[in-house]
Amino acid sequence: MALAVAPTGAVDGHRSRKLAVALSRTSSTFLFFSVVVVGVVFASARWITTTSTTLQASLPAAAAIPAAAALHHQTQHPTPSPRSPSRAPRPPPAAYSISCPNISHAAKAPESSQTLALALSFSSSCRRSYPDAPPATNTTAAPSSSNSSCPSYFRFIHEDLRPWRAAGGVTRAMLARAGVTASFRLVVLRGRAYVQRFRPAFQTRDLFTIWGILQLLRRYPGRVPDLDLMFDCVDWPVVRTHLYRGKHAPFMPPLFRYCGDDRTLDIVFPDWSFWGWPEINIKPWDALQKDLKNGNSRVTWSDREPYAYWKGNTAVAVSRQELVKCNISSTQDWKARIYTQDWFQESKAGYTNSNLGNQCTHRYKIYVEGSAWSISQKYILACDSMTLLVTPKYYDFFSRSLMPIQHYWPVRDDNKCASIKYAVEWGNSHKQSAQRIGKEASNFIQEEVNMDLVYDYMLHLLTEYAKLLRFKPTKPPEAVEVCPESLICQAEGIEKKFLTESMVKSAHDSGPCDLPPPFSPLELRMLKQRKENTIRQVEMWERRASAA
C-alpha cells in the first residue's frame, strides 16, 4: 500500500501578484504553480525595491506608521508570580479557558476559510477582566531562565538578525519597506496583539501563524516585549543580500517568513503547520509527534522495506519531476519507490492513505524540495528511517543544524537516481550505521524540535528583534486586536478542532531555555567546511562505486 509522506507540494508558494516599481537595482519576478487540495496552489517570488522615492509611491497606505495611538488598558494574560529566591513550591498556574457557542469538531474543513477576516471585523471579543501585564523591556534578555541551554540551532537567531544589528537597528523606514510584500503586520503592546492584514495568505497560513504567536503570549505572559513586525506567508525569500550592502544597508527591510537561503536576509520563523494544517488534515505538532513516535514502534528498522520512499506533489518543481524517473521500471531498479499524491482525491477519500503516523514502513525516506522549502522535512526526519536529503537550497529555523551522515544521507540533485541507488545499497550493506543515522535524526526532531522549544525559539527571536527597534511601537489605526477568543469563536469544523487542540492551556511557570551566544566567524566557517567535506566524501564513495 502506498503511504503518504508529508504533503510537500502543498507548501510551495500560493499567489501571483505583480509589484511594478521602476528601479535601477531591482526587478520583479513572479511564478505561478498549480498544486494541492483542489489542484491549484500559487507560488510567487517577489523582489523588494531599493529606490526610496519610487518605493514610497508604491507602498500601501497600511505601511505608514502613526506617531501615536490610543491603547486599551487591559491585557491578554495575568501577570506571572514573582520567582522566590528559595524556589519554594508554588501552586500550578490557573488554566486558561475560552467559552464559545457551538464549538464544532467536524471532520471536514470549509472550502475557503473566513476565520481571520471575520475576527478582524469584530474585535469586541477581546475584552479582558484582569489588569495589564507589565511590558517586557526591549533592552534585556528574556527573563527567568529554565536553567537549560537551548539547542545549537538557536544560535542562528543571532545570524538572522546580525545585518540589522550591524546597521544600527530597525527603523520605521525599514519596517515600511518590508510591508511591500508582507501578508500581515503584527504589533504587540503590553502583551496584546494587533494585526493589520494586507492580503490573504494561501489557505490558512496567516491564521495559524498568528494563532501560534497568540499561544506564545499565553505561554509566556508579560515576557514578550512590545514589537512591530512584517510577516510574509509566501515560501520564497525575497530580501536579496546583494541589494543592501554598504550605503544601501539603511534600506534593508526586516521581513519574517518560514524559510531562507544563502542569498537572502529574510528572518526565519516557525511555520504555521506546528499548530495544524486543516486543508490537508495535518494535526498540530504535539499530537503528530506522538503519532510519529508510535508509528516508529510498529515496524522495526530491519523489518522495513529495503527501499527509498517518497510520495508527494510532483507538479511544483522540476526536481520532483526528475525524481519520478527514479522509480522502478521494467528495465531499471534505482531502489526507489516514488508515488504521486493527488490531494483532491485524497481529500474525497477522507485522507485514509496519508496518515503521517503510518508512513514509517521503509528503511529510507527521500526529502526533496518543491518550488522552495517544504514542511515535510520534519515529518520525514522523525521516521527513524535514514533520510536521503536531495541537495537543498533553502532552510527553515532548525535545519541549519542538521549534519550529513549524522542526521541524513546527502543525495546529489544533478544525479538523483544513481545517488539514491548508492545510498540504499550502502545502507543495506551497513545496516547498523544506516539505522543509527535514522535514529539520530528522529531523536533530534523529537527532543530538540518539540513545541516547548518551538515556543522558546519564538520568544528569543522576538525578544532579540525587539531590542533592535529604534522606535516605540504603537498601534496602527488600521490594526485590529486579535486574541484566542476572536479567532477560535469564528472558526468552524476542523479549523476549530486544530485551534482548540493546539491552544496553550496555562502560563508556563519556568522561563525559556538559555539562548546560546552567537557564532564566531571561525565557528561558522568550520561548520560550513565540515558539511562540505562530508558531502564531498560521500560523492567520492559514489564515484568509486560507479567506476567499479
Side-chain angles (χ1 to χ4, degrees):
M1 179 179 67
L3 298 178
V5 298
T8 316
V11 174
D12 310 311
H14 65 83
R15 70 174 178 270
S16 170
R17 178 172 56 85
K18 186 174 182 181
L19 175 62
V21 182
L23 299 173
S24 61
R25 302 178 62 88
T26 314
S27 63
S28 298
T29 308
F30 299 86
L31 289 175
F32 237 103
F33 287 97
S34 294
V35 17
V36 303
V37 183
V38 295
V40 180
V41 161
F42 302 99
S44 67
R46 298 141 303 154
W47 304 89
I48 293 184
T49 58
T50 60
T51 302
S52 178
T53 55
T54 308
L55 170 71
Q56 290 173 357
S58 70
L59 281 173
I65 305 176
L71 303 179
H72 296 287
H73 295 289
Q74 296 89 20
T75 184
Q76 186 172 334
H77 312 292
T79 304
S81 302
R83 287 181 167 267
S84 169
S86 61
R87 299 184 181 274
R90 69 184 72 184
Y96 292 120
S97 64
I98 292 178
S99 177
C100 290
N102 302 321
I103 292 184
S104 170
H105 291 271
K108 184 179 180 182
E111 292 184 4
S112 179
S113 172
Q114 297 297 318
T115 301
L116 184 57
L118 290 170
L120 294 176
S121 299
F122 305 99
S123 60
S124 59
S125 58
C126 288
R127 295 170 182 166
R128 298 291 183 275
S129 59
Y130 36 82
D132 280 351
T137 175
N138 292 359
T139 58
T140 59
S144 304
S145 165
S146 64
N147 297 316
S148 63
S149 181
C150 301
S152 61
Y153 65 82
F154 278 60
R155 302 181 77 180
F156 287 99
I157 289 175
H158 304 293
E159 292 307 306
D160 286 348
L161 298 177
R162 185 185 299 276
W164 290 275
R165 187 173 293 111
V170 174
T171 65
R172 290 183 184 274
M174 289 176 172
L175 187 74
R177 295 174 69 84
V180 173
T181 60
S183 303
F184 65 86
R185 178 181 181 181
L186 172 79
V187 176
V188 174
L189 299 171
R190 298 180 68 84
R192 304 179 71 164
Y194 302 85
V195 170
Q196 181 180 356
R197 195 187 200 189
F198 298 134
R199 56 195 60 83
F202 173 66
Q203 295 182 339
T204 50
R205 291 184 178 200
D206 49 2
L207 168 63
F208 278 83
T209 300
I210 293 167
W211 176 258
I213 295 171
L214 292 177
Q215 302 318 299
L216 175 69
L217 294 172
R218 286 164 68 87
R219 179 182 174 89
Y220 288 125
R223 299 185 189 182
V224 179
D226 290 356
L227 55 86
D228 193 342
L229 64 81
M230 299 288 185
F231 204 107
D232 191 345
C233 296
V234 177
D235 291 338
W236 289 33
V238 298
V239 185
R240 300 294 181 186
T241 303
H242 72 277
L243 298 177
Y244 301 103
R245 291 174 177 155
K247 65 180 181 180
H248 300 286
F251 304 103
M252 184 168 45
L255 186 61
F256 285 71
R257 73 171 61 249
Y258 308 121
C259 74
D261 63 25
D262 293 337
R263 299 172 299 171
T264 55
L265 300 173
D266 301 66
I267 301 169
V268 181
F269 196 82
D271 71 82
W272 75 97
S273 68
F274 283 98
W275 297 273
W277 191 354
E279 289 83 2
I280 51 177
N281 199 40
I282 290 185
K283 297 178 183 179
W285 184 229
D286 258 341
L288 187 51
Q289 267 194 313
K290 294 181 178 67
D291 287 352
L292 291 167
K293 189 172 184 178
N294 292 335
N296 280 336
S297 64
R298 294 188 196 121
V299 184
T300 62
W301 192 91
S302 58
D303 291 334
R304 297 183 183 187
E305 295 291 329
Y307 304 106
Y309 176 86
W310 183 86
K311 186 174 184 178
N313 188 290
T314 59
V316 295
V318 172
S319 184
R320 292 187 177 185
Q321 294 164 10
E322 293 172 348
L323 182 64
V324 175
K325 300 175 183 178
C326 304
N327 219 343
I328 186 173
S329 68
S330 58
T331 59
Q332 180 67 51
D333 186 0
W334 297 105
K335 308 299 182 182
R337 303 296 182 260
I338 312 299
Y339 301 89
T340 298
Q341 177 71 44
D342 185 335
W343 284 105
F344 178 73
Q345 292 298 325
E346 186 62 17
S347 65
K348 289 176 62 177
Y351 303 100
T352 55
N353 293 318
S354 55
N355 185 330
L356 295 174
N358 297 333
Q359 72 172 357
C360 304
T361 57
H362 291 70
R363 292 180 184 175
Y364 313 96
K365 302 294 296 295
I366 300 170
Y367 171 76
V368 59
E369 294 177 333
S371 60
W373 143 95
S374 167
I375 68 163
S376 66
Q377 188 171 30
K378 57 182 177 288
Y379 309 134
I380 293 170
L381 289 165
C383 214
D384 272 5
S385 303
M386 186 172 83
T387 297
L388 309 186
L389 196 148
V390 180
T391 307
K393 297 178 182 178
Y394 303 92
Y395 53 77
D396 62 12
F397 74 102
F398 69 81
S399 61
R400 285 171 283 187
S401 279
L402 298 175
M403 297 300 299
I405 305 303
Q406 179 181 350
H407 300 107
Y408 66 89
W409 185 274
V411 168
R412 294 173 57 185
D413 186 49
D414 60 352
N415 194 21
K416 295 181 186 65
C417 299
S419 193
I420 289 170
K421 184 175 187 291
Y422 175 76
V424 171
E425 291 176 344
W426 181 92
N428 289 336
S429 300
H430 302 80
K431 293 183 176 67
Q432 289 186 342
S433 296
Q435 187 174 1
R436 176 188 56 77
I437 294 171
K439 190 63 177 176
E440 187 86 8
S442 182
N443 288 343
F444 173 82
I445 294 297
Q446 290 286 348
E447 297 169 8
E448 299 192 24
V449 195
N450 56 50
M451 281 308 299
D452 287 340
L453 290 169
V454 170
Y455 282 124
D456 285 2
Y457 188 95
M458 293 163 63
L459 179 61
H460 281 304
L461 174 59
L462 295 180
T463 300
E464 296 301 311
Y465 169 78
K467 293 177 186 178
L468 297 174
L469 297 182
R470 291 171 54 184
F471 59 91
K472 182 178 176 59
T474 55
K475 176 187 173 298
E478 302 88 350
V480 174
E481 184 182 3
V482 292
C483 56
E485 293 87 345
S486 67
L487 296 182
I488 204 169
C489 294
Q490 297 292 348
E492 296 179 352
I494 199 169
E495 262 184 36
K496 177 167 284 188
K497 180 177 186 293
F498 285 173
L499 293 175
T500 302
E501 290 177 353
S502 62
M503 184 168 57
V504 167
K505 304 304 188 294
S506 63
H508 199 58
D509 191 45
S510 62
C513 58
D514 293 328
L515 180 65
F519 290 105
S520 68
L522 177 60
E523 286 176 316
L524 280 176
R525 287 197 300 271
M526 291 178 65
L527 182 65
K528 181 180 179 181
Q529 186 175 25
R530 177 187 168 192
K531 288 185 177 182
E532 292 175 348
N533 289 345
T534 305
I535 291 171
R536 279 197 294 267
Q537 176 69 63
V538 172
E539 291 175 350
M540 183 185 70
W541 293 342
E542 285 185 31
R543 287 193 297 270
R544 287 178 178 175
S546 177

